Amino acid sequence: MTFELNYRSGKPVYLQMVDQVKSALASGALKEGDSLPAIRPLAEELRVNRNTVAKAYGELEREGIIETLAGKGCFICRPKSPLRRQVRVEMLTREIDESVVAAHHLQIPRDAFLDLSRDRFDAFEKRRVASDNKAAAS
Amino acid sequence: MNPPVIDISNLHYTYDGQEAVCGLNLQVAPGRCHALLGRNGAGKTTTMKCLLHLLRPQAGTVRLFGLDPAKDEVAVRSRLSYVPDAPSFYPWMSVRETLEYLASFRARWNLSRQSELLDRFSLDPGMKVTSLSKGQRTQLALIGALAPEPDLLILDEPTSGLDPIVRREFIQTVIGAFQEGDASRRTIFVSTHLIGEFEGLIDEFTLLDQGKAILSLDADKARERYRRIRARFPGSVDAVDVPGGLQTRRHGREVEVIANGDGERIIERLRAQSPESLEVEGLTLEEVFMVTANRLPKEKR
């Protein structure tokens, strides 16, 4: 797992890290049982405050995406959400709303937006299959 | 809520009638990395010297860990370390003797941290300090600052004039070795012009100008609040109406606006005037510094 931070994105640094882990999970680059880098070497490599990395990992843990095993590090959990379905739907709705607003600003009409959404699902699916094949081959 | 590690209230300092710091207020909470930014002569070093009790405030108060550095100098000194931009050592001492000398003033000295860092920097303990390069002198000062495991690390332009590799290593060492253990207690107060290199470390910053704080913000909030909006139009942009913004530049068919918290409104208004394209990005801390210190060109046509 490699992180890339962008100080021009306007997004808090710890959230960029959280989102990149989620995205790696969705594309299959990270799987259940995989470990995340330890805080100190990762903070040094990225040259970010250790508190920022700790905050990102704390948020991932709170969302039930990783778990910390004392003395061993942080690992990706079995996909389970501690939240009820309705809460999860509400969380996703907020994210979708943001994209809908962005689409409006970027003058992307509804149908093109929906087509693009389908394409993105396919793209992630493809990456996941590719990464599964690679894992099976090795 | 823990009391602030640094608490500066209405600080004034004047050299020969020249006001260096005038009415500065600044607080830093435990575990934060606070950057003091400003142009040369803005009052950064004077502020740091008042913290270190190298200068006595002429008005206002300075408190470290809730203590007055003038009254409790020993207690305050034992909890902080300072790395200046040009560290000086006794010329007759070797690296080892220098560290032993520095350790003699400290109640706590982590020898394994010292040898870990000597290795990391490939510093030979037998070397005379006079034969060290500028980068090696800074590395030695950093070892001397981190071995006592202070709660507060004060850095005054620590990496200026050093090569990029030494600079990178310096910052990585601060992150790795200083923030070791309880990172929530390890406070950093740094002044630097190399803002981009410290960007990931900085939690919050104060921008000084003529001895006054003109902006004090959380780093993530600053990057969220300051936006660069670029819109390209099919024709001339002379008539394009741009509300607000810190700066507006018009060039050919393009308008570039720096927004400070009013980005959404500006985007909305530009959008309504049918641009061909519109791009938005955040500003880095260095750019926030530049626009706020008014160093980018003003509106021009």
Side-chain angles (χ1 to χ4, degrees):
Chain A
M1 172 81 209
T2 50
F3 292 90
E4 267 180 49
L5 303 178
N6 176 6
Y7 293 109
R8 290 186 194 279
S9 69
K11 190 192 269 186
V13 177
Y14 88 94
L15 262 189
Q16 293 184 35
M17 299 183 72
V18 167
D19 288 352
Q20 284 174 31
V21 169
K22 288 180 178 172
S23 164
L25 267 167
S27 69
L30 275 179
K31 289 194 178 63
E32 183 193 340
D34 284 350
S35 65
L36 289 182
I39 293 180
R40 175 176 176 170
L42 180 60
E44 281 195 34
E45 184 200 323
L46 298 172
R47 278 176 294 152
V48 298
N49 203 305
R50 285 161 80 127
N51 294 322
T52 305
V53 180
K55 192 172 176 188
Y57 282 15
E59 176 64 22
L60 287 165
E61 195 163 5
R62 207 180 56 78
E63 293 187 29
I65 292 167
I66 63 169
E67 60 186 341
T68 306
L69 301 179
K72 289 190 177 154
C74 295
F75 298 86
I76 303 292
C77 298
R78 182 188 300 274
K80 59 166 192 268
S81 179
L83 304 171
R84 284 181 303 117
R85 187 185 150 80
Q86 191 200 338
V87 178
R88 284 181 281 138
V89 167
E90 279 167 19
M91 285 167 74
L92 185 59
T93 302
R94 278 198 293 276
E95 301 281 334
I96 293 174
D97 284 355
E98 274 184 30
S99 303
V100 171
V101 171
H104 169 78
H105 280 303
L106 296 167
Q107 291 153 309
I108 307 290
R110 177 197 176 103
D111 287 344
F113 178 87
L114 293 175
D115 285 346
L116 184 61
S117 303
R118 249 190 305 276
D119 287 352
R120 295 316 298 158
F121 265 103
D122 291 347
F124 273 94
E125 181 68 35
K126 224 167 156 179
R127 265 193 265 168
R128 204 158 43 218
V129 169
S131 131
D132 281 345
N133 289 344
K134 221 167 92 192
S138 64
Chain B
M1 181 69 195
N2 289 316
V5 171
I6 297 177
D7 191 352
I8 299 174
S9 165
N10 194 30
L11 177 67
H12 283 265
Y13 199 91
T14 304
Y15 300 95
D16 300 327
Q18 191 79 34
E19 274 207 306
V21 179
C22 54
L24 178 66
N25 293 299
L26 192 157
Q27 276 87 33
V28 183
R32 303 288 282 172
C33 174
H34 192 108
L36 194 58
L37 310 177
R39 303 183 64 175
N40 290 333
K44 306 186 296 288
T45 298
T46 305
T47 303
M48 292 204 161
K49 284 186 170 165
C50 288
L51 286 179
L52 295 162
H53 193 50
L54 299 171
L55 293 174
R56 190 183 286 269
Q58 291 158 345
T61 56
V62 164
R63 294 287 177 272
L64 288 165
F65 315 106
L67 301 170
D68 181 348
K71 291 202 184 93
D72 294 298
E73 191 167 2
V74 176
V76 168
R77 279 283 182 155
S78 69
R79 294 179 66 182
L80 69 81
S81 288
Y82 169 56
V83 180
D85 66 337
S88 56
F89 307 102
Y90 290 114
W92 59 86
M93 288 187 185
S94 65
V95 167
R96 183 188 297 112
E97 286 162 343
T98 301
L99 290 170
E100 282 168 0
Y101 174 74
L102 293 172
S104 71
F105 294 96
R106 297 286 191 164
R108 194 166 46 191
W109 193 269
N110 186 331
L111 274 175
S112 60
R113 170 71 27 86
Q114 172 184 315
S115 50
E116 172 209 332
L117 295 179
L118 283 169
D119 276 356
R120 178 175 195 159
F121 299 142
S122 312
L123 274 182
D124 170 6
M127 225 162 136
K128 284 271 175 238
V129 293
T130 42
S131 47
L132 298 177
S133 67
K134 181 165 166 46
Q136 288 173 320
R137 296 171 75 84
T138 297
Q139 289 169 335
L140 176 57
L142 186 60
I143 298 174
L146 298 186
E149 303 184 316
D151 292 327
L152 171 63
L153 185 60
I154 297 182
L155 307 169
D156 188 6
E157 287 290 350
T159 56
S160 63
L162 303 181
D163 74 54
I165 293 168
V166 175
R167 294 206 300 260
R168 172 180 287 242
E169 221 168 33
F170 183 96
I171 292 164
Q172 288 178 328
T173 304
V174 170
I175 293 168
F178 177 60
Q179 290 196 309
E180 186 73 23
D182 188 0
S184 66
R185 274 183 49 213
R186 303 270 195 248
T187 308
I188 303 170
F189 191 60
V190 56
S191 90
T192 183
H193 288 302
L194 298 161
I195 304 169
E197 299 197 354
F198 280 89
E199 181 127 22
L201 190 55
I202 297 171
D203 289 311
E204 57 195 26
F205 65 91
T206 294
L207 186 61
L208 272 189
D209 190 46
Q210 297 180 22
K212 287 195 187 74
I214 55 170
L215 182 66
S216 213
L217 257 186
D218 184 89
D220 277 331
K221 287 219 177 67
R223 287 185 288 255
E224 197 183 332
R225 208 167 99 174
Y226 289 84
R227 296 280 161 114
R228 176 181 287 112
I229 303 158
R230 277 200 198 96
R232 200 176 60 237
F233 288 88
S236 161
V237 292
D238 287 349
V240 169
D241 174 34
V242 185
L246 271 184
Q247 289 180 359
T248 303
R249 281 200 275 184
R250 295 160 201 265
H251 184 75
R253 298 191 289 122
E254 270 194 5
V255 181
E256 182 187 291
V257 190
I258 305 288
N260 173 14
D262 54 357
E264 286 306 311
R265 197 164 60 91
I266 295 169
I267 292 168
E268 202 63 58
R269 179 69 69 89
L270 286 171
R271 185 77 69 198
Q273 298 169 80
S274 311
E276 282 177 357
S277 70
L278 193 144
E279 288 165 28
V280 184
E281 62 178 12
L283 259 55
T284 63
L285 292 187
E286 178 157 14
E287 290 168 325
V288 171
F289 168 70
M290 299 274 258
V291 291
T292 313
N294 255 334
R295 295 175 78 184
L296 284 181
K298 295 265 163 82
E299 171 157 3
K300 60 182 179 202
R301 289 182 183 223

